[in-house]
Amino acid sequence: MSDVITLNNVNKTYRRGREQVHALDGIDLTIQQGEFVAVVGPSGSGKSTLLNIIGAMDQPDTGQVTIAGQETTTLKEQGLTRLRADTIGFVFQQFFLQPTLTARENVLLPTLFARQKHLASRADELLARVGLAERANHLPDELSGGEMQRVAIARALINKPKVLLADEPTGNLDSQNARAIFALLDELHDDGLTLITVTHSEALTSRAERRIHLLDGRISDD
Ligand SMILES: Nc1ncnc2c1ncn2[C@@H]1O[C@H](COP(=O)(O)OP(=O)(O)OP(=O)(O)O)[C@@H](O)[C@H]1O
Ligand SMILES: [Mg+2]
């Protein structure tokens, strides 16, 4: 297996008034292609900060981050946008669908920023994959929370990412909808996708092959 994500001595500090918050404190981490990783830890331990850095949405203050062989600290904004679009899919607790676009149009949105272009047919394949073939022309407010999250997952997959990052993907869902998302993530993992999820859900954590515990910006257990 090959390494897809490598972090070397990554540090991230936020300033809050006069206070310095050490959100990440000397993180060393290697994740291999195809792993299913759950990042867990108390509120404020740095989980979202870590995920944002792994996804090149945020840069560390010091240290090195390599994503699919590219060192992010050497890239400018345009290079980072490209790397994100080509390599990473994101899913968030709040779904972040565009309210004026249909499910299909939401799924196609990331193709605007990617090098590879896809046909609308790929969006329809993905919507079918997540069980929403019949909902392609619906607007987000015509969908349930679970359906919106499945649209968001289809959107995250449209550019064929190497890595899917999910920050509390079932945090806004009831247990039945959460189970549908767990099953979908299991399937994607079986297909070889690298999955990294931040979660408070024991049901989701128990499905991962590897758990990374954060405490005060450090890995306390891996
Ligand atoms: N933009 C920011 N400005 C200032 N401080 C921040 C910022 N983002 C995060 N922090 C601080 O950095 C620390 C880590 O935050 P982070 O969001 O990564 O935690 P988390 O583990 O995801 O927490 P939660 O489980 O509540 O989502 C916290 O102390 C937080 O207050
Ligand atoms: Mg968080």
Side-chain angles (χ1 to χ4, degrees):
M1 281 216 262
S2 60
D3 297 349
V4 65
I5 306 280
T6 310
L7 275 64
N8 288 313
N9 196 17
V10 161
N11 290 280
K12 182 78 181 177
T13 307
Y14 292 109
R15 190 173 293 282
R16 211 165 30 198
R18 292 188 178 183
E19 211 189 335
Q20 294 259 14
V21 180
H22 221 143
L24 294 178
D25 188 0
I27 298 283
D28 292 308
L29 181 62
T30 299
I31 293 173
Q32 294 185 327
Q33 184 70 48
E35 275 194 286
F36 184 174
V37 180
V39 179
V40 298
S43 184
S45 58
K47 304 182 298 294
S48 295
T49 306
L50 178 65
L51 208 67
N52 290 341
I53 286 176
I54 287 174
M57 294 214 290
D58 202 356
Q59 290 272 41
D61 298 332
T62 61
Q64 287 178 333
V65 179
T66 307
I67 301 172
Q70 283 254 29
E71 200 192 309
T72 64
T73 36
T74 64
L75 296 173
K76 297 205 169 53
E77 196 46 54
Q78 197 186 0
L80 288 171
T81 303
R82 270 279 156 78
L83 179 64
R84 275 195 301 269
D86 290 340
T87 316
I88 309 280
F90 289 99
V91 178
F92 303 92
Q93 180 172 352
Q94 304 88 345
F95 320 135
F96 292 130
L97 299 182
Q98 289 297 315
T100 58
L101 300 180
T102 65
R104 180 189 289 115
E105 288 164 345
N106 267 286
V107 173
L108 283 167
L109 212 48
T111 65
L112 297 174
F113 306 102
R115 248 177 298 225
Q116 13 164 200
K117 293 294 171 197
H118 299 287
L119 301 168
S121 63
R122 176 160 165 82
D124 287 338
E125 277 167 34
L126 284 167
L127 284 168
R129 171 93 208 257
V130 301
L132 294 176
E134 315 296 305
R135 296 280 188 275
N137 295 314
H138 288 235
L139 293 169
D141 71 4
E142 298 166 334
L143 301 172
S144 72
E147 289 172 337
M148 282 195 269
Q149 192 60 300
R150 284 187 275 153
V151 172
I153 291 173
R155 179 182 59 186
L157 297 174
I158 188 83
N159 289 330
K160 302 185 177 166
K162 286 193 162 61
V163 181
L164 185 70
L165 302 179
D167 198 344
E168 294 286 358
T170 58
N172 279 341
L173 301 180
D174 60 43
S175 57
Q176 192 182 343
N177 276 304
R179 275 199 298 277
I181 300 297
F182 298 156
L184 181 57
L185 293 177
D186 279 344
E187 267 180 53
L188 295 169
H189 175 233
D190 288 344
D191 289 353
L193 189 66
T194 310
L195 283 177
I196 308 173
T197 181
V198 165
T199 185
H200 287 106
S201 159
E202 187 49 42
L204 180 52
T205 304
S206 66
R207 300 171 108 94
E209 307 162 312
R210 178 176 173 192
R211 296 175 201 205
I212 295 172
H213 290 256
L214 285 186
L215 192 62
D216 296 333
R218 294 187 195 164
I219 295 177
S220 61
D221 192 25
D222 184 351

